[in-house]
Amino acid sequence: MKQFFTYTLTLLLALVLLAPAADAQQFTKRKQYNSVGVTLTAMNYFGDITPKPSIPSLRFGATRPNLGVTFTHRFTPRISARAGLSYGRITGDDSKAADQNDPDAKYRYNRNMNFRNDIAELSAVAIFDLIPNRNNYIKRPDFVPYVFAGVAGYTGNPKGLNSSDNYVALQPLRTEGVEYNRGGIAIPFGLGARYKLNKSFDLGFEIGFRKTFNDYLDDVSTKYVSDPSQLASGDAFYFGWDITGGSGTGLDGTWNQNDQRGYQRGKDNEDDWYVQAGFTLNYILAPRVKSPKFR
């Protein structure tokens, strides 16, 4: 599955970057136009606190809303560039996501971790329309499927619900004895379709994946600390040691009722992803056409 996503991303980038140059020559500035949009999407994530610790596994009950604004410029009959700013939340809860009767999920059920992370994202993507528009915006096609890919910067703040039912920031606690960044670079890519409502408005539906280079969107990555004295506060001890009630599962699957030092806490070497799926309403800014001057 990981290779499938890699191949898909490579194909999308190729479609965007290798579009025929002739389109740009045939598409005059009079036909280029801008649009602004608002987005309402459902947001979820792939990571360690899901039913399965793999990319296609997510829990729909953990889905939360995401809001955003966009600005798009059409360059050619097929190619547009879009800048976007969005804000949304991802969540996870072992007690709801992991099946205690599944041998592969038992250590995650007993880990009993939970988190939420409010993510702000600034993105820039190239959009490749599968149906070209060689006319002006008024005569654009009624229905256009498209693919997109680009780059994004994001920042977040993973928090967990502690024993007092208060959310506390997890990154400063160093629950696995390491420091990590709360934000970074992501690669957004996906597909969607636009429908022409009238001369000025388009309604679109889009599914977009964000591949990050960070395994700590949920504050879970590798192993429990080898020495509990590394955990400097009560909350750090709760999330990084005692949240399972003083027991853990080793990498060999054996269950230790007394000690979890160095045992598996997350799945190594699997970066977290997040995904957005929902609607966009675009308003087209009619281009200003300069009238010829006569002397």
Side-chain angles (χ1 to χ4, degrees):
M1 183 58 69
K2 187 175 182 179
Q3 290 181 337
F4 170 78
F5 278 93
T6 301
Y7 294 150
T8 301
L9 178 57
T10 302
L11 177 61
L12 293 181
L13 287 171
L15 286 173
V16 170
L17 297 176
L18 300 180
D23 280 355
Q25 298 173 359
Q26 298 170 5
F27 207 65
T28 64
K29 287 187 176 181
R30 286 175 175 265
K31 295 180 180 180
Q32 297 180 22
Y33 58 88
N34 301 319
S35 62
V36 294
V38 293
T39 64
L40 175 60
T41 64
M43 194 171 183
N44 215 311
Y45 103 113
F46 309 133
D48 290 288
I49 308 180
T50 51
K52 297 286 185 180
S54 58
I55 288 176
S57 178
L58 57 80
R59 188 175 71 88
F60 288 103
T63 303
R64 296 294 183 271
N66 179 288
L67 297 173
V69 293
T70 62
F71 177 85
T72 306
H73 178 75
R74 173 165 294 280
F75 288 99
T76 76
R78 289 184 184 270
I79 298 176
S80 303
R82 182 180 72 198
L85 179 65
S86 65
Y87 184 82
R89 173 176 292 178
I90 57 175
T91 69
D93 190 331
D94 279 333
S95 66
K96 299 175 181 178
D99 182 359
Q100 62 177 322
N101 298 316
D102 181 354
D104 295 330
K106 189 171 183 179
Y107 85 90
R108 287 183 287 115
Y109 180 84
N110 288 279
R111 178 181 60 191
N112 198 30
M113 182 63 185
N114 70 84
F115 88 102
R116 71 181 190 190
N117 194 345
D118 295 333
I119 294 179
E121 177 193 274
L122 179 64
S123 64
V125 301
I127 300 171
F128 181 83
D129 289 349
L130 302 184
I131 299 175
N133 172 27
R134 303 186 186 281
N135 299 304
N136 59 28
Y137 77 98
I138 296 176
K139 297 181 180 180
R140 68 191 186 277
D142 289 336
F143 179 80
V144 179
Y146 62 88
V147 294
F148 68 91
V151 64
Y154 70 93
T155 184
N157 187 18
K159 295 182 178 181
L161 193 64
N162 66 11
S163 57
S164 301
D165 288 333
N166 296 316
Y167 278 99
V168 295
L170 297 173
Q171 187 249 19
L173 301 180
R174 300 183 62 184
T175 53
E176 293 185 2
V178 299
E179 294 184 0
Y180 61 85
N181 294 322
R182 297 186 304 178
I185 300 297
I187 305 298
F189 66 96
L191 51 87
R194 295 189 306 274
Y195 178 73
K196 178 182 175 182
L197 296 176
N198 55 38
K199 180 181 71 174
S200 300
F201 285 95
D202 284 341
L203 179 64
F205 181 82
E206 183 174 291
I207 300 175
F209 301 91
R210 271 67 174 173
K211 188 262 184 287
T212 75
F213 303 91
N214 185 350
D215 195 18
Y216 282 99
L217 294 185
D218 48 19
D219 193 64
V220 176
S221 179
T222 56
K223 301 176 181 179
Y224 289 96
V225 294
S226 58
D227 183 355
S229 66
Q230 295 177 252
L231 303 171
S233 70
D235 282 330
F237 190 83
Y238 176 77
F239 287 105
W241 188 263
D242 197 39
I243 196 168
T244 62
S247 55
T249 303
L251 295 174
D252 60 358
T254 59
W255 185 249
N256 187 324
Q257 294 293 337
N258 302 309
D259 200 348
Q260 64 240 30
R261 68 184 69 206
Y263 279 170
Q264 183 178 3
R265 189 169 184 260
K267 187 174 182 180
D268 297 358
N269 302 319
E270 291 287 348
D271 290 331
D272 296 332
W273 296 53
Y274 58 98
V275 58
Q276 300 176 11
F279 294 93
T280 299
L281 182 64
N282 286 312
Y283 174 73
I284 295 175
L285 304 172
R288 297 179 61 183
V289 178
K290 296 182 178 179
S291 301
K293 295 181 179 180
F294 297 96
R295 295 185 177 178

